[in-house]
Amino acid sequence: MQTSHGRWARGALTVSLVLGLTACGQPPAGGAALSAQVAAGEPMLNEVYYDSVSTDTGTFIELKGPAGKSLSGYTLAAFDTAGTQYRTVTLSGSIPASGYFVVAQDTTVPNRTLVNSGTDLNNGSASLRLLKSGAVIDALAYGTPTSGRGEGSPAPTTGAGSALARVPDGQDTNVNSADFRVQAATPGASNGGSGGGGGTTGKKVLFDLTKAEDAGNADWRIDGAYSDYAAALRGLGYTVGSLTGTGITSTGLSGAAVLVIPEPQSPFSDTERAAIQAFVQGGGGVFMITDHRVSDRNNNGWDSPEVFDGWDGSTPASVSGAYQASLNSDVIFGLNASFNSSFSDPVYTATPLTTHPILNGVSSAGVYVGTSVDVLAGTALMGTGGKTYLAVNSVGAGRVAMWGDSSTFGDNTYSDGSTGTYNNWPNLSNAALGKNVVRWLAGDL
């Protein structure tokens, strides 16, 4: 895979629904300029449930505002990922005594105020605005829309069966990623909570640095080529840090929700493997990011497929018994980093092979010379040319994922302060994929 240096290394009312086009040559009303936060006395978008399990039923949009507030002149405008308005819901009547106004897709939604199918919004990445006579009152963008119509950075996209809700209930900082979190739907009731955004409640994500992941021309560090990745996870409400030291221990993993291992260059000992296995069995998540063969950054004879799978018996020439199995991911997790890859492999674009919460808002991801994943147990999620490049499995109470290229999530900034050529993080759906894998591993999708 390529690095950012340019060196090869490795998301009782009436309503009318208008599915309409804006007048030719005129922008949609939803494109009006944003004000700051919701003004006092105005309603706000408080909760959105747009992706139910299987066929969408029971979806809804909830507003929160002063009881008795007239909604004459208010509309909801829905936008696709490109920022194109595809739906308008025109509101009339008043907000109920509860303070919550719930527009429901069907009669299965509790505490509904009205029923209209127009609340079944786009899954993945999109935006929604609350307008009054064309002026923007409130706005929400979620996922990774190419042209967001929200406030600040977008809120995360949900997995099927979860809602996006303001937590604390009614909080508005004018930044969607800070105000909304993924949680169980609560139509017509308080969202609860005392802080945080993104539904993560500050869960800890650790990026491993004990296996020379920054050796040679690699820089898979949260203060280097993975700095955009780390920042995106923090934007979702996660606490992100590095796991440093001479090895991985149960003590080091204590309190973490997810461990990310990006292209390790040194083998795991039997003791380290046991600690990682116990971490997953106990409910932790592990994201294994591998690369092609013959990608030895620190000249110790090991490359990342070998570190994940175990010693190949030839390089290095000899290995002490405690390190020969290394992580043994094929045996303990059912996912194997294929040895059938090389530096001369072409660049591929992997696409979804099935449906899965990780794939919400993900249409493709780049494999900038990596290796495929052999799925011995679990589910193949993305691939191309008959090969799998993303696979997942549930092990004990935990979850694991393996992706075949470390540069997919890299940006072009390095821990030494230099700037490189390749910035893959914003390409295709790379960023959405990187975030969604961690969210799924953490149990937030």
Side-chain angles (χ1 to χ4, degrees):
M1 61 168 240
Q2 59 201 189
T3 68
S4 314
H5 280 307
R7 301 173 295 189
W8 286 93
R10 316 206 298 239
L13 299 177
T14 62
V15 145
S16 66
L17 172 65
V18 181
L19 298 175
L21 301 175
T22 56
C24 186
Q26 295 185 17
L34 285 175
S35 58
Q37 294 141 356
V38 174
E42 291 288 3
M44 65 170 61
L45 300 169
N46 199 52
E47 185 177 1
V48 179
Y49 179 57
Y50 56 82
D51 187 10
S52 61
V53 177
S54 190
T55 302
D56 281 351
T57 58
T59 63
F60 66 87
I61 300 168
E62 177 190 271
L63 304 182
K64 178 180 174 68
K69 171 74 176 180
S70 173
L71 295 178
S72 176
Y74 289 82
T75 58
L76 294 168
F79 302 83
D80 62 19
T81 185
T84 301
Q85 185 173 343
Y86 67 91
R87 184 169 297 163
T88 297
V89 175
T90 302
L91 308 178
S92 66
S94 303
I95 295 176
S98 65
Y100 299 103
F101 162 49
V102 180
V103 187
Q105 178 188 3
D106 51 47
T107 58
T108 66
V109 181
N111 300 319
R112 59 191 177 276
T113 314
L114 59 92
V115 175
N116 190 280
S117 62
T119 63
D120 186 15
L121 305 177
N122 285 1
N123 298 342
S125 300
S127 303
L128 178 68
R129 285 183 167 186
L130 174 63
L131 311 176
K132 181 181 182 181
S133 301
V136 181
I137 301 302
D138 197 15
L140 165 66
Y142 52 88
T144 54
T146 56
S147 182
R149 299 287 187 170
E151 299 173 347
S153 55
T157 187
T158 71
S162 296
L164 272 179
R166 289 187 184 271
V167 179
D169 190 70
Q171 170 179 273
D172 185 17
T173 68
N174 211 36
V175 179
N176 294 154
S177 62
D179 293 336
F180 287 84
R181 62 191 287 178
V182 179
Q183 64 174 33
T186 59
S190 172
N191 298 330
S194 57
T200 69
T201 60
K203 293 178 182 177
K204 184 190 297 182
V205 178
L206 293 176
F207 283 72
D208 185 53
L209 265 181
T210 70
K211 301 303 170 193
E213 287 92 346
D214 58 352
N217 54 2
D219 197 54
W220 313 127
R221 302 170 55 103
I222 63 174
D223 59 350
Y226 275 14
S227 57
D228 283 0
Y229 195 175
L233 293 176
R234 292 189 184 105
L236 294 176
Y238 293 99
T239 299
V240 182
S242 298
L243 184 61
T244 59
T246 59
I248 295 178
T249 65
S250 294
T251 299
L253 294 174
S254 177
V258 176
L259 172 65
V260 181
I261 310 175
E263 197 188 343
Q265 293 295 301
S266 299
F268 296 91
S269 69
D270 291 345
T271 301
E272 289 177 296
R273 181 175 67 256
I276 295 171
Q277 187 174 14
F279 172 69
V280 174
Q281 290 281 349
V286 171
F287 188 13
M288 299 170 284
I289 305 175
T290 185
D291 202 11
H292 59 80
R293 290 305 311 269
V294 195
S295 52
D296 178 8
R297 314 292 182 192
N298 57 354
N299 301 313
N300 68 349
W302 291 81
D303 56 31
S304 57
E306 197 175 10
V307 173
F308 284 125
D309 300 347
W311 182 43
D312 63 6
S314 60
T315 55
S318 64
V319 178
S320 68
Y323 289 90
Q324 289 183 7
S326 194
L327 187 57
N328 215 14
S329 64
D330 53 338
V331 174
I332 68 172
F333 296 146
L335 303 178
N336 180 78
S338 176
F339 281 0
N340 187 24
S341 61
S342 74
F343 181 79
S344 61
D345 286 354
V347 172
Y348 294 116
T349 298
T351 57
L353 302 173
T354 186
T355 58
H356 191 276
I358 287 175
L359 301 177
N360 290 339
V362 175
S363 58
S364 62
V367 181
Y368 308 93
V369 185
T371 198
S372 57
V373 179
D374 299 325
V375 186
L376 308 179
T379 306
L381 297 190
M382 297 187 75
T384 187
K387 294 183 178 182
T388 297
Y389 287 93
L390 174 66
V392 299
N393 196 15
S394 295
V395 180
R399 296 170 171 181
V400 294
M402 181 177 282
W403 170 255
D405 184 23
S406 49
S407 66
T408 306
F409 310 117
D411 56 56
N412 63 343
T413 60
Y414 276 69
S415 55
D416 64 2
S418 63
T419 300
T421 302
Y422 298 104
N423 184 9
N424 295 321
W425 176 250
N427 291 342
L428 305 175
S429 303
N430 295 350
L433 175 62
K435 291 184 289 185
N436 283 359
V437 170
V438 169
R439 292 176 61 211
W440 181 78
L441 291 170
D444 295 324
L445 277 182

